[in-house]
Amino acid sequence: MSKTLKIYLGILALLLVGLAAVEFSRPRPINWKKTYNEKHKTPYGTFIFYEELSTLFPDSEIENIRATPYEFFDNLYSWKDSVYLTSGTYMIIDEYPNIDGTSAQELLDFASYGNDIFMSSNYFPNKLLDSLGFKIKNDFDFEGQSQFSFSNPALKNDSITIEKGLSNIYFSEIDTSYTTVLGYQKFDDSEHVNFIKTSWGDGYFYLHLQPTAFTNYNLLKKSNRKYASAVMSYLKDDTIYFDSRNKTRQSLNDSKLRFIFSQPALRWAWYTVLIATLLFMIFNAKRRQRIVNIKVPLKNTTVAFIKTIGNLYYETKDHNNLIEKKITYFLEYIRRVYYLETQILDDKFVKNLSLKSGKEESDVKKLINQIVHLKAKTTCNEGDLLRLNKAIEDFYTK
């Protein structure tokens, strides 16, 4: 080993030690990722809620499901006797639960035999939406905190206010013939349903739209735990089948480098070693390879072409031609994006375009009237072109 290589290796070792020392000395940043994992003690994990389940249901067994609902419950169904060999409550708390149509049907079957399904989520499988006859809506434009309350007057004192991790998703449509409203959420003066109970066969579905209420952060805030306890009071004291967020973790735990990857300092040191080794191989290979001829890439002449065409139209001052092309392109955009016919530009078309695009109907009507006027006009001037261009650009951007 040459003296120069020893110096390089020594410098690299010092850099690695320095990086490791800096990483270990820095405070570990808070992980605000919404995991809803029952093993995570991060703000948006559900460690506290999961640990308290045995207190909330003292006579119940808590069993983790580490497979899909279909795989788990199908194995507990007796095809010979046409009954499930178990009973209880299936529970899942996750913002985006990974439940396919087959598992959703299995949950419907499990509930029909007198069992309960509790789901706290922002979204539900289409199978459940269609079968249980409810719809949800997301109002993205919301600010500040929200108040969660119950329809039952006996639970009036269990209302809470939450500030972080919220989403304004609510039940926009339910079938009141077999659905009971259990709770509400209120943003400012807008109150909507966020907790319902729906009967299915001999069992019930309890559907809740704010899983953040069961996370570590919110359970430790003030007396928010009383809300989670009140929600759980609707469930019967039977076996709880908790859908675990750790279905695919086993393969990661078997990794030989699992400890290194679990420590940020060691993980970055490992990456630094790999990058340094790769750079060392690249530079050594570069010194030994033959000279590669440099090929000049083709120039991008798009901008020059656009300038040439623009100058051509500017010199000819063919405003009618330009207006016709802009109108044609705009109407093609309407057909392609909003799936509207553009042969008849009447008030019905204006109203449909306003609804689909979300633009003010008065602005849309003004633009369409301008297009109709210019299409009928025989001779257009530069002012007409500029006004049309501004109106179309405003439609795209506002």
Side-chain angles (χ1 to χ4, degrees):
M1 184 181 295
S2 65
K3 183 178 180 180
T4 303
L5 183 58
K6 290 181 179 179
I7 294 174
Y8 286 154
L9 292 176
I11 294 174
L12 178 61
L14 289 175
L15 287 174
L16 293 177
V17 173
L19 286 172
V22 170
E23 287 293 334
F24 275 117
S25 62
R26 287 192 336 182
R28 190 169 184 177
I30 298 176
N31 181 9
W32 290 96
K33 183 178 180 182
K34 295 182 178 180
T35 64
Y36 297 97
N37 192 307
E38 72 276 12
K39 291 187 177 181
H40 290 181
K41 299 180 181 180
T42 54
Y44 290 113
T46 56
F47 176 81
I48 295 175
F49 174 77
Y50 181 76
E51 291 296 310
E52 290 299 318
L53 276 178
S54 57
T55 303
L56 295 172
F57 300 96
D59 298 327
S60 300
E61 178 185 356
I62 312 299
E63 182 174 350
N64 272 5
I65 298 179
R66 301 189 183 276
T68 65
Y70 169 75
E71 293 170 327
F72 183 83
F73 289 113
D74 187 63
N75 290 331
L76 297 176
Y77 183 77
S78 173
W79 293 95
K80 179 181 179 181
D81 301 324
S82 297
V83 294
Y84 280 94
L85 303 178
T86 187
S87 64
T89 300
Y90 167 82
M91 180 180 296
I92 184 170
I93 300 174
D94 196 1
E95 200 168 30
Y96 302 98
N98 186 20
I99 298 179
D100 56 22
T102 305
S103 291
Q105 181 60 56
E106 188 67 33
L107 293 178
L108 290 169
D109 295 340
F110 186 63
S112 67
Y113 280 82
N115 301 295
D116 292 340
I117 308 296
F118 176 81
M119 303 179 69
S120 184
S121 170
N122 288 162
Y123 297 95
F124 298 93
N126 290 331
K127 182 68 176 177
L128 295 185
L129 293 174
D130 297 337
S131 300
L132 302 179
F134 68 91
K135 294 182 180 179
I136 58 177
K137 184 178 181 181
N138 192 343
D139 282 349
F140 295 95
D141 185 18
F142 71 94
E143 295 180 357
Q145 60 190 15
S146 176
Q147 183 180 20
F148 297 167
S149 60
F150 296 95
S151 59
N152 187 348
L155 301 177
K156 180 180 179 180
N157 294 330
D158 294 321
S159 301
I160 62 171
T161 299
I162 288 183
E163 301 175 353
K164 284 185 176 289
L166 294 167
S167 57
N168 196 7
I169 296 180
Y170 57 88
F171 292 101
S172 59
E173 183 178 320
I174 59 175
D175 191 332
T176 56
S177 62
Y178 54 85
T179 300
T180 304
V181 174
L182 300 181
Y184 302 90
Q185 63 189 31
K186 184 177 182 181
F187 287 89
D188 295 328
D189 296 330
S190 177
E191 186 174 66
H192 297 289
V193 176
N194 74 341
F195 186 25
I196 62 173
K197 172 185 177 181
T198 301
S199 62
W200 184 260
D202 294 330
Y204 296 95
F205 275 81
Y206 295 87
L207 305 179
H208 186 269
L209 292 177
Q210 292 291 353
T212 187
F214 304 97
T215 57
N216 301 327
Y217 177 84
N218 286 308
L219 287 177
L220 292 175
K221 293 283 285 186
K222 300 179 182 178
S223 58
N224 289 356
R225 60 184 180 276
K226 65 183 180 181
Y227 178 82
S229 178
V231 172
M232 292 296 104
S233 68
Y234 283 99
L235 305 179
K236 55 190 177 184
D237 206 347
D238 200 348
T239 304
I240 302 295
Y241 296 102
F242 190 85
D243 197 324
S244 173
R245 301 296 86 205
N246 297 283
K247 293 184 177 67
T248 60
R249 298 282 178 171
Q250 189 61 40
S251 59
L252 295 178
N253 292 337
D254 292 336
S255 172
K256 302 298 182 183
L257 301 174
R258 60 184 179 274
F259 178 75
I260 291 178
F261 289 141
S262 67
Q263 304 297 320
L266 294 178
R267 183 172 66 250
W268 281 108
W270 175 256
Y271 291 153
T272 304
V273 169
L274 293 180
I275 293 172
T277 304
L278 180 62
L279 291 175
F280 179 81
M281 295 173 62
I282 291 174
F283 283 109
N284 273 273
K286 184 177 180 181
R287 293 176 59 186
R288 291 172 174 80
Q289 71 180 11
R290 292 180 297 175
I291 297 176
V292 178
N293 294 329
I294 299 176
K295 291 185 178 181
V296 180
L298 297 176
K299 294 182 178 180
N300 188 346
T301 59
T302 304
V303 176
F305 175 77
I306 293 174
K307 288 182 178 179
T308 301
I309 297 299
N311 289 332
L312 177 63
Y313 276 107
Y314 181 80
E315 292 294 334
T316 58
K317 298 188 181 298
D318 190 358
H319 302 122
N320 285 40
N321 190 9
L322 268 178
I323 288 175
E324 180 183 356
K325 284 182 168 57
K326 289 196 73 66
I327 292 175
T328 301
Y329 179 81
F330 176 72
L331 294 179
E332 190 278 333
Y333 171 82
I334 297 300
R335 293 191 296 271
R336 174 168 52 84
V337 175
Y338 301 113
Y339 304 99
L340 293 174
E341 291 292 334
T342 59
Q343 294 179 350
I344 301 176
L345 305 179
D346 54 6
D347 290 339
K348 182 180 179 181
F349 172 82
V350 170
K351 184 175 182 180
N352 289 336
L353 179 56
S354 174
L355 291 174
K356 287 202 171 187
S357 64
K359 314 292 183 182
E360 291 293 333
E361 186 172 342
S362 59
D363 295 338
V364 176
K365 184 175 181 63
K366 183 178 178 181
L367 172 59
I368 298 302
N369 287 342
Q370 188 175 358
I371 290 175
V372 172
H373 170 71
L374 292 177
K375 289 178 69 175
K377 192 173 181 180
T378 56
T379 303
C380 300
N381 54 40
E382 184 177 353
D384 294 331
L385 175 60
L386 292 176
R387 284 190 293 273
L388 175 64
N389 182 71
K390 184 178 185 304
I392 292 177
E393 291 299 322
D394 288 344
F395 182 88
Y396 289 148
T397 56
K398 289 185 179 180

